[in-house]
Amino acid sequence: MAEETPWQQALRYANRANPYPFYEELRKTPVAPQPDGNYVVSTYQEVVQLLHDTRVTSDGRKRGVPFSNPFEGTVITTDPPEHDVDRRRMMRHFGPPECPHMIAGFEPEIRRIFGELLDNLTGKTRIDLVDEFAFPGPVTVICKVLGVPLEAIPSFHGWIETALDGLDFGPEANDPEQQRRAAAVPDAVTALRQYLGDLIGQYRKQPGPGMLSGMANDDGPEGPLSQESLVNNAMLMLFAGHETTVNLIAHSVMSLLRHPDQLEKLRRRPELIVPGIEEFLRFESSVQLWPTRSALEDVEIAGTTIPKGAPIFLCYGSANRDSERFENPDKLDLERPDNQHVGYSQGIHYCFGAPLARLEVQIAVGEFVRRVENPRLVEDPPPYRRNQIFRGPRHVWVDIDGIRE
Ligand code: HEM
């Protein structure tokens, strides 16, 4: 059997908790062709270069190798001009210039949601950081932002878990167990699409709160989003809008508990949470890799030619640990200068929800540090979820002495 490449090793489930030594090996070949025909880009400079290269598409319909992607037909998998028009149609309901106060207006609600979650931990000595804090906060926030009823959380959470568990780009993709997980994905995606399609249909008849109703009933300067595009992008926002944030909150707290000097510094200087969350995202990127890009023509980069049609994997998690760009990249430093990480990507697909995610994580982690007394990790590393893109722990048990007011 051929020896596995560093990339294949990084993708193995056993290495989910710590893929970084494999990334370090991978970066010795900044653009690394893989046995399956994919080109993996792992160094900061090359990732940034390709993010701004118009010879690189995000549109799966234009790539040589077929790729079934639950995000098909959304802004994340289209190129200009289609991408830009739809992104503007969505942004009208989310941020400046049309809705400059939308995110800031959610701050009191976000504080209340995370505050209540911490209140509920009163009297406990052991908590699950994921199930009791990092998950329920962002999922509630994104439901409120979009106008998805909270009662739907258990159903859509199940569908999203199934879809995430079924996607595998590594050497275990062909294992019978993984094939079974993959077979369950289409039904889960169909159920989610059906649910959101029905909800949007109801909002067309009877407008209600949130972005989905706003978008369904809007006829802005560029016309409305088509029903299909609206449903696809609603799926993307519901999904991207909490999975990433859940993992960032869990990893931020874990990183602090693993670096007591930084935790102490943050306790003394709570304002460091603002640069701090950029460092948490650089250190443990919620989107480790992004698999949808491909070359529209031969692209020569770092001594390698990516042939026309070849799939390109951008490894943000590795670029953010590149020692050519970040001094002491494996050190957590809340005061790191010039921290231009690629945790939210760059260029035209730069994360749409970054301002909301920043606000949520600042409040969640800031309040956790302020209110939770003497938190200690019980199991390190904790068990991880299977998915390689949205990398995060499944549970994080933390012992605590109490909850302050
Ligand atoms: C810590 C939290 C988050 C992280 C790390 C994150 C990360 C990312 C990344 C890396 C991309 C670009 C993918 C690419 O390379 O093409 C992206 C795009 C996107 N994100 Fe986020 N995201 C977060 C939170 C959110 C939230 C809260 C929302 C919803 C409100 C959201 C909605 C989107 C959308 C709609 C796109 C597609 C933008 C486009 O293609 O123009 N994200 N995100």
Side-chain angles (χ1 to χ4, degrees):
M1 209 169 83
E3 203 183 315
E4 283 187 359
T5 64
W7 176 240
Q8 289 170 319
Q9 289 172 288
L11 294 178
R12 278 203 169 271
Y13 179 60
N15 297 324
R16 197 73 74 249
N18 186 14
Y20 300 109
F22 304 100
Y23 290 166
E24 197 175 337
E25 198 52 37
L26 187 60
R27 286 193 297 273
K28 290 182 183 160
T29 315
V31 180
Q34 298 299 309
D36 56 8
N38 294 332
Y39 282 70
V40 176
V41 186
S42 57
T43 43
Y44 183 89
Q45 191 186 318
E46 280 69 29
V47 165
V48 169
Q49 192 175 324
L50 290 181
L51 283 172
H52 297 280
D53 192 325
T54 51
R55 294 170 302 170
V56 173
T57 174
S58 286
D59 189 337
R61 295 166 297 188
K62 298 180 190 166
R63 82 201 264 170
V65 186
F67 172 51
S68 144
N69 175 354
F71 296 138
E72 250 160 49
T74 69
V75 280
I76 220 164
T77 52
T78 44
D79 293 339
E82 195 183 344
H83 163 272
D84 302 6
V85 174
D86 279 356
R87 187 165 162 136
R88 282 196 295 269
R89 286 168 166 151
M90 289 157 67
M91 194 46 93
R92 277 168 56 73
H93 300 273
F94 190 72
E98 279 90 356
C99 293
H101 305 298
M102 146 105 173
I103 292 168
F106 264 100
E107 179 168 349
E109 178 109 41
I110 296 175
R111 284 199 180 279
R112 187 188 59 71
I113 291 167
F114 284 105
E116 276 180 21
L117 290 169
L118 289 171
D119 292 344
N120 293 344
L121 303 179
T122 307
K124 295 197 171 190
T125 53
R126 178 164 293 185
I127 61 166
D128 180 356
L129 176 66
V130 177
D131 281 357
E132 295 178 88
F133 188 67
F135 173 74
V139 80
T140 307
V141 173
I142 197 69
C143 281
K144 302 243 171 199
V145 168
L146 295 178
V148 172
L150 299 182
E151 303 79 72
I153 292 175
S155 325
F156 76 69
H157 180 48
W159 298 323
I160 289 175
E161 283 276 306
T162 304
L164 283 179
D165 284 352
L167 198 63
D168 192 311
F169 300 102
E172 288 146 313
N174 292 323
D175 291 357
E177 206 186 330
Q178 187 55 31
Q179 296 263 300
R180 269 196 297 280
R181 291 191 197 101
V185 176
D187 282 353
V189 173
T190 305
L192 181 57
R193 180 168 283 125
Q194 179 74 46
Y195 170 74
L196 287 170
D198 290 348
L199 182 66
I200 289 165
Q202 284 168 26
Y203 278 143
R204 282 194 201 284
K205 285 189 216 132
Q206 172 86 51
M211 261 183 96
L212 297 185
S213 176
M215 291 193 294
N217 296 295
D218 184 32
D219 192 2
E222 293 175 291
L225 279 158
S226 70
Q227 170 73 5
E228 198 189 339
S229 175
L230 180 49
V231 173
N232 289 338
N233 281 300
M235 275 175 63
L236 172 65
M237 282 189 288
L238 184 61
F239 183 98
H242 77 278
E243 283 298 335
T244 47
T245 315
V246 172
N247 292 336
L248 182 55
I249 294 173
H251 270 138
S252 302
V253 173
M254 277 166 63
S255 297
L256 285 170
L257 299 186
R258 286 168 171 170
H259 296 84
D261 61 317
Q262 299 295 302
L263 174 60
E264 199 36 50
K265 195 187 253 190
L266 185 56
R267 279 217 180 91
R268 275 187 285 112
R269 296 166 57 198
E271 72 282 4
L272 284 183
I273 193 64
V274 176
I277 66 152
E278 303 308 318
E279 176 68 347
F280 296 135
L281 189 54
R282 183 197 69 81
F283 196 67
E284 296 279 17
S285 304
S286 294
V287 176
Q288 284 281 304
L289 59 111
W290 199 253
T292 59
R293 286 179 176 78
S294 57
L296 287 171
E297 51 188 88
D298 287 2
V299 175
E300 201 184 326
I301 176 164
T304 301
T305 301
I306 306 178
K308 180 178 174 180
I312 302 173
F313 280 55
L314 300 181
C315 189
Y316 297 134
S318 170
N320 282 335
R321 295 275 193 130
D322 186 348
S323 60
E324 294 284 313
R325 175 60 182 79
F326 300 102
E327 215 179 301
N328 286 330
D330 298 327
K331 185 171 167 246
L332 182 79
D333 176 3
L334 300 185
E335 294 183 276
R336 180 175 290 280
D338 184 25
N339 197 355
Q340 273 288 314
H341 61 77
V342 283
Y344 291 116
S345 188
Q346 272 190 21
I348 63 163
H349 294 285
Y350 181 82
C351 178
F352 176 97
L356 176 64
R358 286 195 170 104
L359 182 63
E360 282 187 60
V361 184
Q362 281 173 22
I363 293 173
V365 179
E367 285 302 280
F368 188 95
V369 168
R370 188 179 73 78
R371 293 190 58 192
V372 179
E373 285 179 42
N374 193 19
R376 285 103 60 203
L377 282 177
V378 174
E379 194 185 356
D380 194 9
Y384 267 70
R385 301 165 76 190
R386 290 206 73 85
N387 194 272
Q388 294 138 341
I389 303 178
F390 303 97
R391 169 176 166 268
R394 195 172 289 283
H395 301 287
V396 180
W397 296 104
V398 178
D399 279 349
I400 62 172
D401 288 353
I403 302 291
R404 293 188 193 89
E405 274 299 301

